[in-house]
Amino acid sequence: VKKTDVVRAILADRQHLLPCNTEAEAYASSNIALCKYWGKRNTELNLPMTSSFSISLGNFGSNIRLSVNENVADTACINDQLLDWQSSFGKRLREFLNLFRITPTLGFHADIHTNIPIGAGLASSACGFASLVQALDRLFGWELSLLELSILARLGSGSASRSLWQGFVEWHAGTQADGMDSYAEVCTDVWPDLCIGLLILSDTEKKISSRVAMQRTVATSPFYTAWPETVRHDLSAIKQAVREKDFLLLGKTAESNALSMHATMLSSWPPVLYALPGTVTAMQKIWELRQAGLMVFFTQDAGPNLKLLFLAKDKAHMKTHFPNMPIIQPFINE
Ligand code: 2P0
């Protein structure tokens, strides 16, 4: 099964195969996984080995204005800088746009604004592809369901399937070979007191993409066989924590899940280590603060930065320990 087969199946009964608008706009929040997606069962379709569970990042995300390019060739700008189609994001964007180029003469212009560093483990591809599929849907006038958009976003980047909603989202791994049962869904629980701190330790682009690192882990880590069982346990604990507003269970499970994921990377060959010295220093500071009674936990993705989890009652205290850290309350509109 190819990406084009999936796109064709989803658009099979749609009227508009050519854009019915000249321009469309969409915004998607970035998301961070509390129970991680790490490893694919199908690399062409970004089908995951396991389900995963995330929280959205409010106004940290990306906005896209997509229009039909009369000059035929595609153009794109990110934060007002012309995109290099040879860059890794450029290549992925071009490949994705090709899926929707019904006639070879159809060109696109994408004007992307994002307030998160690209390729630094802050889920720039998640919000990028999620905003893009929504903009395509509006440009062509397809009126696809969020479930269908989640499947299309996954073809761009796995974690993008989770970026179409605000709040908690679960991406169901699915079992079908064509991935039609591998999509995300929003979870109705809300947790207004939940805070996420973005502890940015470096915003330089990572040397090993999560795509490459994931595949290397699956292919070489002797510990990867334990990962699906870890996720099965952690996913159920995190969903219980969210239902019962059990912050200790949420924090402990999310932190342990992230560290288990990084342990599979460390045991890969060649090894994958996303932490920098500052990452380890920050982890130790968090463990010390916790020892002293402050309930703060961390999670880490495919980069050196940490995302801190704590409750609104500790916000002032957290600000004294991490003065410049942006804080997001995903369930409070700011
Ligand atoms: C996640 N990450 O669940 C995990 C945890 C990073 C660590 O999803 O190859 O950009 O495009 O499907 O989604 C980052 O990987 O990878 C990611 P592709 P993606 O958020």
Side-chain angles (χ1 to χ4, degrees), residues 25 35 71 122 167 333:
E25 188 167 356
C35 183
N71 300 325
L122 288 163
N333 287 325

Side-chain angles (χ1 to χ4, degrees), residues 229-307:
E229 184 52 29
T230 302
V231 170
R232 205 187 57 75
H233 171 270
D234 292 350
L235 186 61
S236 120
I238 283 175
K239 283 160 72 172
Q240 182 192 337
V242 164
R243 266 194 319 271
E244 297 172 1
K245 306 286 172 292
D246 182 341
F247 181 67
L248 291 192
L249 182 62
L250 181 86
K252 165 178 131 182
T253 312
E255 185 173 304
S256 164
N257 182 267
L259 289 168
S260 300
M261 174 185 74
H262 286 281
T264 68
M265 292 185 217
L266 264 183
S267 56
S268 303
W269 196 265
V272 180
L273 174 61
Y274 282 116
L276 291 173
T279 313
V280 178
T281 305
M283 286 178 180
Q284 280 162 344
K285 178 170 171 179
I286 289 153
W287 289 328
E288 277 164 24
L289 288 171
R290 215 152 71 212
Q291 199 94 55
L294 181 62
M295 280 304 111
V296 50
F297 297 85
F298 66 81
T299 180
Q300 181 194 357
D301 294 294
N305 304 308
L306 298 182
K307 289 89 180 191

Side-chain angles (χ1 to χ4, degrees), residues 33 36-37 40 92 125 157-159 162 210-211 214 301:
K36 309 292 188 190
Y37 148 54
K40 305 180 195 199
R92 283 174 68 183
S125 63
S157 187
S159 51
R162 300 187 308 238
S210 40
R211 188 156 290 192
M214 235 183 248
D301 294 294

Side-chain angles (χ1 to χ4, degrees), residues 107-118:
F108 296 101
H109 175 68
D111 195 7
I112 302 166
H113 281 93
T114 179
N115 53 2
I116 50 177
I118 291 176

